[in-house]
Amino acid sequence: MAFKLFFLLMAPFFVLSLSFFSLAFVDADSNSTSSSDSPETICKSTQYPFFCKSVLPKYTRDVHDSGRFLIQRSSSRSLEFLKLLDKYLQNPSSLSPTTILALEDCQFLMELNLDLLSSSIGSVNKTNATLPDVEADDVQTWLSAILTNQQTCLDGLRETVSGSSVADELSGTTSNDTMLYSVSLALFRKGWVPRIRTWKPTRKHVTFRHGRLPFRMSNRTRAIYDSVTRRRLLQSVDDQITVTDIVTVSQDGSGNFTTISAAIQAAPNNTKSTAGYFLIYVTAGVYEEYVTIDKTKSYLFMIGDGINQTIITGNRSVVAGWTTFNSATFAVIGRGFVAAGITFRNTAGAINQQAVAVRNDADTSTFYLCSFEGYQDTLYARVLRQFYRECDIYGTVDYIFGNAAAVFQNCNIYPRLALSGQFNTITAQGRTDPNQNTGTSIQNCTITAAADLASSKLSTPTFLGRPWKVYSLTVYMQNFMGSLIDPAGWHIWDGSSPVNTLYYAEYNNTGPGSNTSYRVTWPGYHVINATVAANFTVSTFLLGDAWLTQTGVPYTGALL
């Protein structure tokens, strides 16, 4: 009864976005199928009921039977699509360089999907009951990422090979696969995600004390450790941070390695969270290298000498022939990655359009006291769960974008001077399905003009975001917004922007740009209260208490 009363009171805030709030609230019919429902009944809760019914065999008895079948089918389809990509790439001489890049992106993404589906199958095969909150969140996150990986592949194909026979064949294949992944996610949510979460945030604010050394070190390594801990780049909560080894990168040859990529290669493969971090200390300098931390390099901790001291820089862009996906100066896939005290740059400039400084594909990843510098598409927070604390983020068009579950806390967000005729959009969130547990949450940040925009006689209209995809979800809460924010707040993507299905919200922001009196009047835009805003905090949105404490990075779990 209390839950029903709460829902009635909060209906104006939930009516367009109830499907999102699977983190705390699930539709009334979730987990409601009987032990022997027909495929038609089971499929009603999906985005594609006709497709769902057409692929489910008649012998499936209930939502668990059906969900397992579809997730397994998704794995088979990913493998088939991967073989099709391999067929094209076996004869690269017939393909343009941009086509090859797009196909290689898709190949990489399908390999990720196979890994994620394998993990998901392991969870759903072991029970017909709802999973514990943390495990349910894991699988929903993985299945959400599978859809996003598929969409990223499609976006790359459209970006580079649109209209070709290759694009036509692959796009037709991926259309059905997208529906398959969507119904798999919907049935997982219906059958395995608890109707009401029992997970309770364990901390409102996290306080720290100096970490203890978990292993014996040489005098030089101890000096490195002491240096970073004195600058509060490594801290500990209740127990020590476990560090298995430390290596140093220094361009003058005084460290273990002269390049970051070489240090990453030296890290052990497939480390578990319980084993601790492999720490890479990158001394001050400008590192002109393209860095990728692949999926085998989990639980790396990379520490620099501070913003504008340790700098990783590149200049790839779409105009120069790269896809958005592989234009990144720094790309991380390995789970549990932590970075602190580093500047990441893409210097391609506004004229070269999409040019990514960091592409983050790493689950439970954290960036602390870092700077991200670019223009269009600076920070690609693409998939899975991510946390950013006390970072500086510079850009112009869509410069925080992607479809991760990402929280930005206590950051400085700096819109830059855009090209003539352009407007700035801080976010472009890419949620494509209402069952994805993804979105961008920006809390207690400061949004002011970068130096070039602040000093210019020219003005660049600046908006909080625009909807990249149909279920785009972005929330600003407890931020300071400078006067540069346009009174409308938000901008359409194009004439067909999904203003009914998006979810944009603001809560208790301050500053001259925070006045909501003249904001857009879209059905999907909301001014929310504290009860709703609490769903987008670190502890609730990311279940951050389950994984952030081991990083030693400070965070606020709840609203301020």
Side-chain angles (χ1 to χ4, degrees), residues 290 311-317 329 344-352 355-357 373-375 416:
Y290 295 95
I311 301 166
I312 305 172
T313 185
N315 64 359
R316 290 175 177 170
S317 69
T329 301
F344 303 93
R345 283 182 183 157
N346 189 313
T347 61
I351 194 69
N352 284 301
V356 175
E373 300 178 8
Y375 287 85
R416 305 177 90 164

Side-chain angles (χ1 to χ4, degrees), residues 118-311:
S118 176
S119 297
S120 301
I121 289 166
S123 291
V124 300
N125 278 351
K126 68 184 182 183
T127 182
N128 281 353
T130 55
L131 294 168
D133 291 322
V134 173
E135 188 174 359
D137 191 65
D138 282 346
V139 181
Q140 190 174 1
T141 297
W142 301 334
L143 295 177
S144 295
I146 288 160
L147 267 171
T148 303
N149 288 342
Q150 184 81 356
Q151 187 63 53
T152 302
C153 169
L154 274 171
D155 289 342
L157 292 172
R158 291 166 181 161
E159 193 175 78
T160 58
V161 294
S162 180
S164 70
S165 59
V166 175
D168 289 344
E169 180 177 357
L170 294 178
S171 295
T173 300
T174 56
S175 177
N176 279 347
D177 290 350
T178 297
M179 290 190 286
L180 178 62
Y181 301 153
S182 174
V183 296
S184 299
L185 173 60
L187 295 193
F188 171 78
R189 184 181 162 205
K190 192 175 189 66
W192 284 273
V193 175
R195 293 186 63 186
I196 300 176
R197 177 181 281 175
T198 57
W199 170 269
K200 300 295 183 185
T202 57
R203 294 174 174 87
K204 181 176 181 181
H205 299 278
V206 176
T207 56
F208 299 88
R209 61 181 176 77
H210 188 77
R212 298 194 303 277
L213 227 55
F215 61 99
R216 297 175 68 104
M217 297 183 182
S218 67
N219 290 337
R220 175 174 175 76
T221 305
R222 179 179 289 277
I224 295 167
Y225 182 90
D226 288 345
S227 171
V228 295
T229 54
R230 277 197 302 273
R231 289 182 286 118
R232 297 176 62 79
L233 290 178
L234 266 179
Q235 303 171 54
S236 184
V237 187
D238 298 319
D239 299 308
Q240 69 228 31
I241 295 172
T242 303
V243 178
T244 58
D245 200 0
I246 295 179
V247 297
T248 302
V249 179
S250 183
Q251 291 175 318
D252 64 8
S254 62
N256 304 96
F257 304 96
T258 57
T259 68
I260 298 166
S261 296
I264 292 166
Q265 282 300 110
N269 290 334
N270 303 314
T271 302
K272 303 298 183 184
S273 61
T274 52
Y277 291 104
F278 182 87
L279 196 152
I280 300 173
Y281 170 48
V282 186
T283 61
V286 178
Y287 294 81
E288 297 182 4
E289 59 177 301
Y290 295 95
V291 177
T292 297
I293 300 174
D294 71 29
K295 64 183 181 181
T296 65
K297 303 297 182 179
S298 49
Y299 295 97
L300 297 191
F301 202 134
M302 188 176 292
I303 294 180
D305 273 324
I307 289 174
N308 293 328
Q309 298 299 310
T310 298
I311 301 166

Side-chain angles (χ1 to χ4, degrees), residues 384-457:
L384 304 168
R385 291 161 290 197
Q386 308 178 10
F387 179 62
Y388 300 81
R389 171 82 180 201
E390 296 173 47
C391 293
D392 298 339
I393 308 163
Y394 296 81
T396 54
V397 179
D398 306 336
Y399 64 95
I400 299 172
F401 76 114
N403 193 27
V407 175
F408 296 80
Q409 194 174 83
N410 293 29
C411 295
N412 297 306
I413 297 174
Y414 294 114
R416 305 177 90 164
L417 182 65
L419 295 175
S420 176
Q422 281 188 338
F423 53 85
N424 287 335
T425 43
I426 295 171
T427 64
Q429 206 284 324
R431 187 164 162 259
T432 61
D433 192 284
N435 289 299
Q436 290 178 307
N437 57 351
T438 55
T440 298
S441 174
I442 298 177
Q443 182 188 19
N444 197 36
C445 295
T446 299
I447 306 167
T448 54
D452 59 349
L453 180 57
S455 62
S456 176
K457 294 181 180 178

Side-chain angles (χ1 to χ4, degrees), residues 97-107 153 156-157 160-161 323 326:
T98 53
T99 299
I100 292 170
L101 285 174
L103 293 176
E104 288 175 341
D105 290 350
C106 290
Q107 186 181 53
C153 169
L157 292 172
T160 58
V161 294
T323 62
N326 57 38

Side-chain angles (χ1 to χ4, degrees), residues 514-528:
S514 67
N515 188 342
T516 59
S517 301
Y518 301 100
R519 290 293 196 250
V520 293
T521 57
W522 305 337
Y525 170 74
H526 310 275
V527 177
I528 57 177

